[in-house]
């Protein structure tokens, strides 16, 4: 989900590295709770997919331990948008 600026400011006040402006606030980035996926035996597969997409240049991934920060690569955004529209419509 996209974060509000208020939520981003709240995270920063709690000591999190919540930048302003943030790609989270405009829908370009998400934090994926990898520990949660691990409880269901899906962490390894998700890691594989995310790292494959990073190697392909579609996303940038930062392993933050419990969660991974995943952001659409600016260079890949136009092609990803075109593929999305082709598959799902506008």
């Amino acid at each position: 989900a996209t974060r509000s600026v208020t939520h981003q400011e709240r995270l920063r006040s709690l000591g999190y590295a919540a930048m302003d402006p943030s790609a989270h606030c405009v829908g370009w980035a998400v934090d994926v709770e990898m520990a949660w996926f691990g409880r269901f035996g899906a962490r390894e597969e998700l890691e594989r997919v995310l790292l494959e997409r990073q190697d392909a240049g579609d996303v940038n991934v930062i392993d933050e331990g419990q969660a991974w920060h995943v952001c659409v690569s600016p260079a890949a955004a136009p092609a990803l948008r075109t593929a999305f529209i082709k598959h799902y419509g506008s």
Side-chain angles (χ1 to χ4, degrees):
T2 303
R3 290 183 190 164
S4 69
V5 173
T6 302
H7 183 65
Q8 189 75 357
E9 291 169 352
R10 172 86 172 123
L11 290 173
R12 190 173 36 258
S13 76
L14 293 171
Y16 290 96
M19 305 301 290
D20 186 25
S22 170
H24 288 281
C25 295
V26 292
W28 287 93
V30 296
D31 289 331
V32 178
E33 182 67 37
M34 300 302 283
W36 185 87
F37 282 93
R39 290 198 309 262
F40 299 97
R43 180 183 176 125
E44 292 79 19
E45 183 64 14
L46 180 56
E47 285 180 10
R48 184 190 66 73
V49 169
L50 290 174
L51 293 174
E52 255 181 27
R53 299 312 337 140
Q54 180 170 263
D55 289 345
D58 292 338
V59 297
N60 299 311
V61 178
I62 301 171
D63 180 349
E64 296 176 336
Q66 177 176 324
W68 283 19
H69 175 82
V70 182
C71 186
V72 173
S73 170
L80 291 172
R81 179 77 172 144
T82 299
F84 178 86
I85 290 169
K86 182 178 179 180
H87 188 73
Y88 296 105
S90 59

Coordinates of all heavy atoms in Angstrom, one line a residue:
A1 N 0.8 -1.2 0.0 CA 0.0 0.0 0.0 C 0.9 1.2 0.0 O 2.0 1.2 0.6 CB -0.9 0.0 1.2
T2 N 0.4 2.3 -0.6 CA 1.1 3.5 -0.6 C 1.0 4.2 0.8 O 0.0 4.1 1.4 CB 0.5 4.5 -1.7 OG1 0.5 3.8 -2.9 CG2 1.2 5.8 -1.7
R3 N 2.1 4.7 1.2 CA 2.2 5.4 2.5 C 1.8 6.9 2.4 O 2.2 7.5 1.4 CB 3.6 5.4 3.1 CG 4.1 4.1 3.5 CD 5.5 4.2 4.1 NE 6.1 2.9 4.3 CZ 7.3 2.7 4.5 NH1 8.2 3.7 4.6 NH2 7.8 1.5 4.7
S4 N 1.1 7.3 3.4 CA 0.8 8.8 3.4 C 2.1 9.5 3.9 O 2.9 8.9 4.6 CB -0.4 9.1 4.4 OG 0.0 8.8 5.7
V5 N 2.2 10.8 3.6 CA 3.3 11.6 4.1 C 3.3 11.6 5.6 O 4.3 11.5 6.3 CB 3.2 13.0 3.5 CG1 4.3 13.9 4.2 CG2 3.4 12.9 2.0
T6 N 2.1 11.6 6.2 CA 1.9 11.6 7.7 C 2.5 10.3 8.3 O 3.3 10.4 9.3 CB 0.5 11.8 8.1 OG1 0.0 13.0 7.6 CG2 0.3 11.8 9.6
H7 N 2.2 9.2 7.6 CA 2.7 7.9 8.1 C 4.3 7.9 8.0 O 5.0 7.4 8.8 CB 2.1 6.8 7.4 CG 2.6 5.4 7.8 ND1 2.3 4.9 9.1 CD2 3.3 4.5 7.2 CE1 2.8 3.7 9.2 NE2 3.4 3.4 8.1
Q8 N 4.8 8.4 6.8 CA 6.2 8.5 6.6 C 6.9 9.3 7.7 O 7.9 8.9 8.2 CB 6.5 9.0 5.2 CG 7.9 8.9 4.8 CD 8.3 7.5 4.4 OE1 7.6 6.6 4.4 NE2 9.6 7.4 3.9
E9 N 6.3 10.4 8.0 CA 6.9 11.3 9.1 C 6.8 10.6 10.5 O 7.7 10.7 11.3 CB 6.1 12.6 9.2 CG 6.3 13.5 8.0 CD 5.4 14.7 7.9 OE1 4.4 14.8 8.6 OE2 5.6 15.5 7.0
R10 N 5.8 9.8 10.7 CA 5.6 9.1 12.0 C 6.7 8.0 12.0 O 7.4 7.8 13.1 CB 4.2 8.4 12.0 CG 4.1 7.4 13.2 CD 3.6 8.1 14.4 NE 3.3 7.1 15.4 CZ 3.9 7.1 16.6 NH1 4.8 8.0 17.0 NH2 3.5 6.1 17.5
L11 N 7.0 7.3 10.9 CA 8.0 6.3 10.9 C 9.4 7.0 11.3 O 10.2 6.4 12.0 CB 8.1 5.6 9.6 CG 6.9 4.6 9.3 CD1 7.0 4.1 7.9 CD2 6.9 3.5 10.3
R12 N 9.6 8.1 10.7 CA 10.9 8.8 10.9 C 11.0 9.2 12.4 O 12.1 9.1 13.0 CB 11.0 10.1 10.0 CG 12.4 10.7 10.0 CD 12.6 11.8 9.0 NE 11.5 12.7 8.7 CZ 10.7 12.6 7.6 NH1 10.9 11.7 6.7 NH2 9.7 13.4 7.5
S13 N 9.9 9.7 13.0 CA 9.9 10.1 14.4 C 10.2 8.9 15.3 O 10.7 9.1 16.4 CB 8.6 10.7 14.8 OG 7.5 9.8 14.9
L14 N 9.9 7.7 14.8 CA 10.1 6.5 15.6 C 11.6 5.9 15.4 O 11.9 4.9 16.0 CB 9.1 5.4 15.2 CG 7.7 5.7 15.6 CD1 6.7 4.6 15.0 CD2 7.5 5.7 17.2
G15 N 12.3 6.6 14.5 CA 13.7 6.2 14.3 C 14.0 5.4 13.1 O 15.1 4.9 12.9
Y16 N 13.0 5.1 12.3 CA 13.2 4.4 11.0 C 13.8 5.3 10.0 O 13.6 6.5 10.0 CB 11.8 3.9 10.5 CG 11.3 2.8 11.4 CD1 10.3 3.0 12.3 CD2 11.7 1.4 11.2 CE1 9.8 2.0 13.1 CE2 11.1 0.4 12.0 CZ 10.2 0.7 12.9 OH 9.7 -0.3 13.7
A17 N 14.5 4.7 9.1 CA 15.1 5.5 8.0 C 14.0 5.8 6.9 O 14.0 5.1 5.9 CB 16.3 4.7 7.3
A18 N 13.1 6.7 7.2 CA 12.0 7.0 6.4 C 12.3 8.4 5.7 O 12.2 9.4 6.3 CB 10.7 7.1 7.2
M19 N 12.8 8.3 4.5 CA 13.2 9.5 3.8 C 12.0 10.4 3.3 O 10.9 9.9 3.2 CB 14.0 9.1 2.5 CG 15.2 8.3 2.8 SD 16.4 9.0 3.9 CE 17.0 10.3 2.8
D20 N 12.2 11.6 3.2 CA 11.2 12.6 2.7 C 11.8 13.4 1.5 O 12.8 14.0 1.8 CB 10.7 13.5 3.8 CG 9.6 14.3 3.4 OD1 8.8 14.0 2.5 OD2 9.4 15.4 4.1
P21 N 11.3 13.3 0.3 CA 10.2 12.6 -0.1 C 10.5 11.1 -0.3 O 11.7 10.7 -0.3 CB 9.9 13.2 -1.5 CG 11.2 13.6 -2.0 CD 11.9 14.1 -0.8
S22 N 9.5 10.2 -0.3 CA 9.8 8.8 -0.4 C 9.0 8.2 -1.6 O 7.9 8.5 -1.9 CB 9.2 8.2 0.9 OG 9.2 6.8 0.8
A23 N 9.7 7.2 -2.1 CA 9.1 6.4 -3.2 C 7.9 5.6 -2.7 O 7.0 5.3 -3.4 CB 10.1 5.4 -3.8
H24 N 7.9 5.4 -1.4 CA 6.7 4.7 -0.8 C 5.4 5.6 -0.9 O 4.3 5.1 -1.0 CB 7.0 4.4 0.7 CG 7.9 3.3 1.0 ND1 7.6 2.0 0.9 CD2 9.3 3.4 1.3 CE1 8.7 1.3 1.2 NE2 9.7 2.1 1.4
C25 N 5.6 6.9 -0.8 CA 4.5 7.8 -0.8 C 3.8 8.0 -2.2 O 2.7 8.5 -2.3 CB 4.9 9.2 -0.2 SG 5.4 9.1 1.5
V26 N 4.5 7.6 -3.2 CA 3.9 7.7 -4.6 C 3.7 6.4 -5.2 O 3.4 6.3 -6.4 CB 4.8 8.6 -5.4 CG1 4.8 10.1 -5.0 CG2 6.2 8.2 -5.5
G27 N 3.9 5.3 -4.5 CA 3.6 4.0 -5.0 C 4.7 3.3 -5.8 O 4.5 2.3 -6.5
W28 N 5.9 3.8 -5.8 CA 7.0 3.2 -6.5 C 7.8 2.2 -5.7 O 8.6 1.4 -6.3 CB 8.0 4.3 -7.0 CG 7.5 5.1 -8.1 CD1 6.8 6.3 -8.0 CD2 7.5 4.8 -9.5 NE1 6.4 6.7 -9.2 CE2 6.8 5.9 -10.2 CE3 8.1 3.8 -10.2 CZ2 6.7 5.9 -11.6 CZ3 7.9 3.8 -11.6 CH2 7.3 4.9 -12.3
A29 N 7.6 2.1 -4.4 CA 8.4 1.2 -3.5 C 7.5 0.6 -2.5 O 6.5 1.1 -2.1 CB 9.5 2.0 -2.8
V30 N 7.9 -0.6 -2.1 CA 7.3 -1.3 -1.0 C 8.3 -2.0 -0.1 O 9.4 -2.2 -0.6 CB 6.3 -2.4 -1.5 CG1 5.2 -1.8 -2.3 CG2 7.0 -3.5 -2.4
D31 N 8.0 -2.3 1.1 CA 8.8 -3.1 2.0 C 8.1 -4.4 2.1 O 6.9 -4.5 2.4 CB 9.0 -2.5 3.3 CG 9.9 -1.2 3.3 OD1 10.7 -1.2 2.4 OD2 9.7 -0.3 4.2
V32 N 8.8 -5.5 1.7 CA 8.3 -6.8 1.7 C 8.8 -7.5 3.0 O 10.0 -7.6 3.2 CB 8.7 -7.6 0.5 CG1 8.1 -9.0 0.5 CG2 8.2 -6.9 -0.8
E33 N 7.8 -8.0 3.8 CA 8.2 -8.6 5.1 C 8.6 -10.0 4.8 O 7.8 -11.0 4.8 CB 6.9 -8.6 6.0 CG 7.1 -9.2 7.4 CD 8.1 -8.4 8.2 OE1 8.1 -7.1 8.2 OE2 8.8 -9.0 9.0
M34 N 9.9 -10.2 4.6 CA 10.5 -11.5 4.3 C 10.3 -12.5 5.4 O 10.1 -13.7 5.1 CB 11.9 -11.4 3.9 CG 12.2 -10.4 2.7 SD 11.3 -10.9 1.2 CE 12.3 -12.2 0.6
A35 N 10.4 -12.1 6.6 CA 10.2 -13.1 7.7 C 8.8 -13.7 7.7 O 8.7 -14.9 8.0 CB 10.4 -12.3 9.1
W36 N 7.8 -12.9 7.3 CA 6.4 -13.4 7.3 C 6.4 -14.5 6.2 O 5.8 -15.6 6.4 CB 5.5 -12.3 6.9 CG 4.0 -12.7 7.0 CD1 3.2 -12.8 8.0 CD2 3.3 -13.1 5.8 NE1 1.9 -13.2 7.6 CE2 2.0 -13.4 6.3 CE3 3.5 -13.3 4.5 CZ2 0.9 -13.9 5.5 CZ3 2.5 -13.7 3.6 CH2 1.2 -14.0 4.1
F37 N 6.9 -14.3 5.0 CA 6.9 -15.3 4.0 C 7.7 -16.5 4.4 O 7.3 -17.6 4.0 CB 7.5 -14.7 2.7 CG 6.6 -13.8 1.9 CD1 6.6 -12.5 2.1 CD2 5.7 -14.4 1.0 CE1 5.7 -11.6 1.5 CE2 4.8 -13.6 0.3 CZ 4.8 -12.2 0.6
G38 N 8.7 -16.3 5.2 CA 9.5 -17.5 5.7 C 8.7 -18.4 6.6 O 8.9 -19.6 6.6
R39 N 7.7 -17.9 7.3 CA 6.9 -18.7 8.2 C 6.0 -19.6 7.4 O 5.5 -20.6 7.9 CB 6.0 -17.8 9.1 CG 6.8 -17.1 10.1 CD 5.9 -16.6 11.3 NE 4.8 -15.8 10.8 CZ 4.7 -14.5 10.8 NH1 5.7 -13.7 11.1 NH2 3.6 -13.9 10.4
F40 N 5.8 -19.3 6.1 CA 4.9 -20.1 5.2 C 5.8 -20.9 4.2 O 5.2 -21.4 3.2 CB 3.9 -19.3 4.6 CG 3.0 -18.6 5.6 CD1 3.2 -17.3 6.0 CD2 1.9 -19.3 6.2 CE1 2.4 -16.7 6.9 CE2 1.1 -18.7 7.1 CZ 1.4 -17.4 7.5
G41 N 7.1 -20.9 4.3 CA 7.9 -21.7 3.4 C 8.1 -21.0 2.1 O 8.5 -21.7 1.1
A42 N 7.8 -19.8 1.9 CA 7.9 -19.1 0.6 C 9.0 -18.1 0.5 O 9.2 -17.5 -0.6 CB 6.5 -18.4 0.3
R43 N 9.8 -17.9 1.5 CA 10.9 -16.9 1.5 C 11.9 -17.1 0.4 O 12.2 -16.2 -0.4 CB 11.6 -16.8 2.8 CG 12.6 -15.7 2.8 CD 13.4 -15.6 4.1 NE 14.4 -14.6 4.0 CZ 14.6 -13.6 4.7 NH1 13.8 -13.4 5.7 NH2 15.6 -12.7 4.5
E44 N 12.4 -18.4 0.3 CA 13.4 -18.7 -0.7 C 12.9 -18.4 -2.1 O 13.7 -17.9 -3.0 CB 13.9 -20.1 -0.6 CG 14.7 -20.4 0.7 CD 13.7 -20.5 2.0 OE1 12.5 -20.8 1.8 OE2 14.2 -20.4 3.1
E45 N 11.7 -18.8 -2.4 CA 11.2 -18.6 -3.8 C 11.0 -17.1 -4.1 O 11.3 -16.6 -5.1 CB 9.8 -19.3 -3.9 CG 9.2 -19.2 -5.3 CD 10.1 -19.8 -6.4 OE1 11.0 -20.6 -6.2 OE2 9.8 -19.5 -7.6
L46 N 10.5 -16.4 -3.1 CA 10.3 -14.9 -3.3 C 11.7 -14.2 -3.4 O 11.8 -13.4 -4.3 CB 9.5 -14.3 -2.1 CG 9.3 -12.8 -2.1 CD1 8.5 -12.4 -3.4 CD2 8.5 -12.4 -0.9
E47 N 12.7 -14.6 -2.7 CA 14.0 -14.1 -2.8 C 14.5 -14.3 -4.3 O 15.0 -13.4 -4.9 CB 15.0 -14.7 -1.9 CG 14.9 -14.2 -0.5 CD 15.9 -14.9 0.5 OE1 16.8 -15.6 0.0 OE2 15.7 -14.7 1.7
R48 N 14.3 -15.6 -4.7 CA 14.7 -15.9 -6.1 C 14.1 -15.0 -7.1 O 14.7 -14.4 -8.0 CB 14.4 -17.4 -6.4 CG 15.0 -17.8 -7.8 CD 14.4 -19.2 -8.1 NE 13.0 -19.2 -8.3 CZ 12.4 -18.7 -9.4 NH1 13.1 -18.1 -10.4 NH2 11.1 -18.8 -9.5
V49 N 12.8 -14.8 -7.0 CA 12.0 -14.0 -8.0 C 12.5 -12.6 -7.9 O 12.8 -11.9 -9.0 CB 10.5 -14.1 -7.8 CG1 9.8 -13.1 -8.6 CG2 10.0 -15.5 -8.1
L50 N 12.6 -12.0 -6.7 CA 13.0 -10.6 -6.6 C 14.4 -10.4 -7.1 O 14.7 -9.4 -7.8 CB 12.9 -10.2 -5.1 CG 11.5 -10.0 -4.6 CD1 11.6 -9.7 -3.1 CD2 10.7 -8.9 -5.3
L51 N 15.3 -11.3 -6.8 CA 16.7 -11.2 -7.3 C 16.8 -11.4 -8.8 O 17.6 -10.7 -9.5 CB 17.7 -12.1 -6.6 CG 17.8 -11.8 -5.1 CD1 18.6 -12.8 -4.4 CD2 18.4 -10.4 -4.9
E52 N 16.0 -12.2 -9.4 CA 15.9 -12.4 -10.9 C 15.4 -11.1 -11.5 O 15.9 -10.7 -12.5 CB 14.9 -13.5 -11.2 CG 15.4 -14.8 -11.6 CD 14.3 -15.8 -12.0 OE1 13.2 -15.4 -12.4 OE2 14.6 -17.0 -11.9
R53 N 14.4 -10.5 -10.9 CA 13.8 -9.2 -11.5 C 14.9 -8.1 -11.3 O 14.9 -7.2 -12.2 CB 12.5 -8.8 -10.8 CG 11.4 -9.8 -10.9 CD 11.0 -10.4 -12.3 NE 11.4 -9.7 -13.5 CZ 11.9 -10.3 -14.6 NH1 12.0 -11.6 -14.7 NH2 12.2 -9.5 -15.7
Q54 N 15.7 -8.2 -10.3 CA 16.7 -7.2 -10.1 C 17.8 -7.4 -11.2 O 18.2 -6.4 -11.8 CB 17.3 -7.2 -8.7 CG 18.5 -6.2 -8.5 CD 18.9 -6.1 -7.1 OE1 18.5 -5.2 -6.4 NE2 19.8 -7.0 -6.6
D55 N 18.2 -8.6 -11.4 CA 19.2 -8.9 -12.4 C 18.7 -8.5 -13.8 O 19.5 -8.1 -14.7 CB 19.6 -10.4 -12.4 CG 20.4 -10.8 -11.2 OD1 20.9 -9.9 -10.5 OD2 20.4 -12.0 -10.9
A56 N 17.4 -8.6 -14.0 CA 16.8 -8.2 -15.3 C 16.7 -6.7 -15.4 O 16.4 -6.2 -16.5 CB 15.4 -8.8 -15.5
G57 N 16.9 -6.0 -14.3 CA 16.8 -4.5 -14.4 C 15.5 -3.9 -14.1 O 15.2 -2.7 -14.3
D58 N 14.5 -4.8 -13.7 CA 13.1 -4.3 -13.5 C 12.9 -3.6 -12.1 O 12.1 -2.7 -12.0 CB 12.1 -5.4 -13.5 CG 12.0 -6.0 -14.9 OD1 12.4 -5.3 -15.9 OD2 11.6 -7.2 -15.1
V59 N 13.6 -4.1 -11.1 CA 13.5 -3.5 -9.7 C 14.9 -3.4 -9.1 O 15.8 -4.0 -9.5 CB 12.6 -4.4 -8.8 CG1 11.2 -4.5 -9.4 CG2 13.2 -5.8 -8.6
N60 N 14.9 -2.5 -8.1 CA 16.0 -2.4 -7.2 C 15.6 -3.0 -5.9 O 14.5 -2.7 -5.4 CB 16.5 -0.9 -7.0 CG 16.8 -0.3 -8.4 OD1 17.6 -0.9 -9.1 ND2 16.3 0.8 -8.6
V61 N 16.5 -3.8 -5.3 CA 16.2 -4.5 -4.0 C 17.2 -4.2 -3.0 O 18.4 -4.3 -3.3 CB 16.1 -6.1 -4.3 CG1 15.8 -6.8 -3.0 CG2 15.0 -6.4 -5.3
I62 N 16.8 -3.9 -1.8 CA 17.7 -3.7 -0.7 C 17.3 -4.7 0.4 O 16.2 -4.6 0.9 CB 17.7 -2.2 -0.2 CG1 18.1 -1.3 -1.3 CG2 18.7 -2.1 1.0 CD1 17.9 0.2 -0.9
D63 N 18.2 -5.6 0.7 CA 17.9 -6.5 1.8 C 18.1 -5.8 3.1 O 19.3 -5.4 3.5 CB 18.9 -7.7 1.7 CG 18.7 -8.8 2.8 OD1 18.0 -8.5 3.8 OD2 19.3 -9.8 2.6
E64 N 17.1 -5.6 3.9 CA 17.1 -4.9 5.1 C 16.9 -5.9 6.3 O 16.5 -5.5 7.4 CB 16.1 -3.8 5.2 CG 16.3 -2.7 4.2 CD 15.2 -1.6 4.1 OE1 14.1 -1.9 4.5 OE2 15.6 -0.5 3.7
G65 N 17.2 -7.2 6.0 CA 17.0 -8.2 7.0 C 15.6 -8.7 7.1 O 15.2 -9.5 6.2
Q66 N 14.9 -8.4 8.1 CA 13.5 -8.8 8.2 C 12.6 -8.4 7.0 O 11.8 -9.2 6.6 CB 12.9 -8.3 9.5 CG 11.5 -8.6 9.8 CD 11.0 -8.1 11.1 OE1 11.8 -8.0 12.1 NE2 9.8 -7.7 11.1
A67 N 12.9 -7.3 6.5 CA 12.1 -6.8 5.3 C 13.1 -6.4 4.2 O 14.2 -6.1 4.4 CB 11.3 -5.6 5.7
W68 N 12.6 -6.5 3.0 CA 13.3 -6.1 1.8 C 12.6 -4.9 1.2 O 11.4 -4.9 1.0 CB 13.4 -7.2 0.8 CG 14.4 -8.3 1.1 CD1 15.0 -8.6 2.3 CD2 15.0 -9.2 0.1 NE1 15.8 -9.7 2.1 CE2 15.8 -10.1 0.8 CE3 14.8 -9.4 -1.2 CZ2 16.5 -11.1 0.2 CZ3 15.5 -10.4 -1.8 CH2 16.3 -11.3 -1.1
H69 N 13.4 -3.9 0.9 CA 12.9 -2.7 0.2 C 13.0 -3.0 -1.3 O 14.0 -3.3 -1.8 CB 13.7 -1.5 0.6 CG 13.4 -0.2 -0.1 ND1 12.4 0.6 0.3 CD2 13.9 0.4 -1.2 CE1 12.3 1.6 -0.5 NE2 13.2 1.5 -1.4
V70 N 11.8 -2.9 -2.0 CA 11.7 -3.2 -3.4 C 11.2 -1.9 -4.1 O 10.1 -1.4 -3.7 CB 10.9 -4.4 -3.7 CG1 10.8 -4.7 -5.2 CG2 11.3 -5.6 -2.9
C71 N 11.9 -1.4 -5.1 CA 11.5 -0.2 -5.8 C 11.6 -0.5 -7.3 O 12.6 -1.1 -7.8 CB 12.4 0.9 -5.4 SG 11.9 2.5 -6.1
V72 N 10.6 0.0 -8.0 CA 10.6 -0.2 -9.5 C 11.8 0.6 -10.0 O 12.1 1.8 -9.6 CB 9.3 0.4 -10.1 CG1 9.4 0.4 -11.6 CG2 8.2 -0.4 -9.7
S73 N 12.6 0.0 -10.9 CA 13.7 0.7 -11.5 C 13.2 1.8 -12.5 O 12.4 1.5 -13.3 CB 14.6 -0.3 -12.3 OG 15.5 0.4 -13.1
P74 N 13.6 3.0 -12.3 CA 13.2 4.1 -13.2 C 13.4 3.8 -14.7 O 12.5 4.1 -15.5 CB 14.0 5.3 -12.8 CG 14.3 5.0 -11.4 CD 14.5 3.6 -11.3
A75 N 14.4 3.1 -15.0 CA 14.7 2.8 -16.4 C 13.7 1.7 -17.0 O 13.4 1.7 -18.1 CB 16.1 2.2 -16.6
A76 N 13.2 0.9 -16.1 CA 12.3 -0.2 -16.5 C 10.8 0.2 -16.5 O 10.0 -0.5 -17.0 CB 12.5 -1.4 -15.6
A77 N 10.5 1.3 -15.8 CA 9.1 1.7 -15.6 C 8.3 1.8 -16.9 O 7.2 1.3 -16.9 CB 9.1 3.1 -14.9
P78 N 8.8 2.4 -18.0 CA 7.9 2.5 -19.2 C 7.6 1.1 -19.7 O 6.4 0.9 -20.1 CB 8.8 3.3 -20.2 CG 9.7 4.1 -19.3 CD 10.0 3.2 -18.1
A79 N 8.5 0.2 -19.8 CA 8.3 -1.1 -20.4 C 7.3 -1.9 -19.4 O 6.5 -2.6 -19.9 CB 9.6 -1.9 -20.6
L80 N 7.5 -1.8 -18.1 CA 6.7 -2.5 -17.2 C 5.2 -2.0 -17.3 O 4.3 -2.7 -17.2 CB 7.2 -2.3 -15.8 CG 8.5 -3.1 -15.5 CD1 9.0 -2.7 -14.1 CD2 8.3 -4.6 -15.6
R81 N 5.1 -0.7 -17.4 CA 3.7 -0.1 -17.6 C 3.1 -0.6 -18.8 O 1.9 -0.9 -18.8 CB 3.9 1.5 -17.6 CG 2.6 2.2 -17.7 CD 1.8 2.2 -16.4 NE 0.7 3.0 -16.5 CZ -0.5 2.8 -15.9 NH1 -0.6 1.7 -15.1 NH2 -1.5 3.6 -16.0
T82 N 3.8 -0.6 -19.9 CA 3.3 -1.1 -21.2 C 2.8 -2.6 -21.1 O 1.7 -2.9 -21.5 CB 4.3 -1.0 -22.3 OG1 4.6 0.4 -22.5 CG2 3.8 -1.5 -23.6
A83 N 3.6 -3.4 -20.4 CA 3.3 -4.8 -20.2 C 2.1 -4.9 -19.3 O 1.2 -5.8 -19.6 CB 4.5 -5.5 -19.6
F84 N 2.0 -4.1 -18.3 CA 0.8 -4.2 -17.4 C -0.5 -3.8 -18.2 O -1.4 -4.5 -18.1 CB 1.0 -3.2 -16.3 CG -0.1 -3.2 -15.3 CD1 -0.2 -4.1 -14.3 CD2 -1.1 -2.2 -15.4 CE1 -1.3 -4.1 -13.4 CE2 -2.2 -2.2 -14.6 CZ -2.3 -3.1 -13.5
I85 N -0.4 -2.7 -18.9 CA -1.6 -2.3 -19.7 C -2.0 -3.4 -20.7 O -3.2 -3.7 -20.9 CB -1.4 -1.0 -20.4 CG1 -1.3 0.1 -19.3 CG2 -2.5 -0.7 -21.4 CD1 -0.8 1.5 -19.8
K86 N -1.0 -4.0 -21.4 CA -1.3 -5.0 -22.4 C -2.0 -6.2 -21.7 O -2.9 -6.8 -22.3 CB 0.0 -5.5 -23.0 CG -0.2 -6.5 -24.1 CD 1.2 -6.9 -24.7 CE 1.0 -7.9 -25.8 NZ 2.3 -8.3 -26.4
H87 N -1.5 -6.6 -20.5 CA -2.1 -7.7 -19.8 C -3.4 -7.5 -19.1 O -4.3 -8.3 -19.1 CB -1.0 -8.3 -18.9 CG -1.4 -9.6 -18.2 ND1 -1.4 -10.8 -18.9 CD2 -1.8 -9.9 -17.0 CE1 -1.8 -11.8 -18.1 NE2 -2.1 -11.2 -17.0
Y88 N -3.5 -6.3 -18.4 CA -4.6 -6.0 -17.5 C -5.5 -4.9 -18.1 O -6.6 -4.7 -17.5 CB -4.1 -5.6 -16.1 CG -3.4 -6.7 -15.4 CD1 -2.0 -6.7 -15.3 CD2 -4.1 -7.8 -14.9 CE1 -1.3 -7.7 -14.6 CE2 -3.4 -8.8 -14.2 CZ -2.1 -8.8 -14.1 OH -1.4 -9.8 -13.4
G89 N -5.1 -4.2 -19.1 CA -5.9 -3.0 -19.5 C -5.5 -1.8 -18.8 O -4.6 -1.9 -17.9
S90 N -6.0 -0.7 -19.1 CA -5.6 0.6 -18.5 C -6.3 0.6 -17.1 O -6.0 1.3 -16.2 CB -6.1 1.8 -19.3 OG -7.5 1.8 -19.4

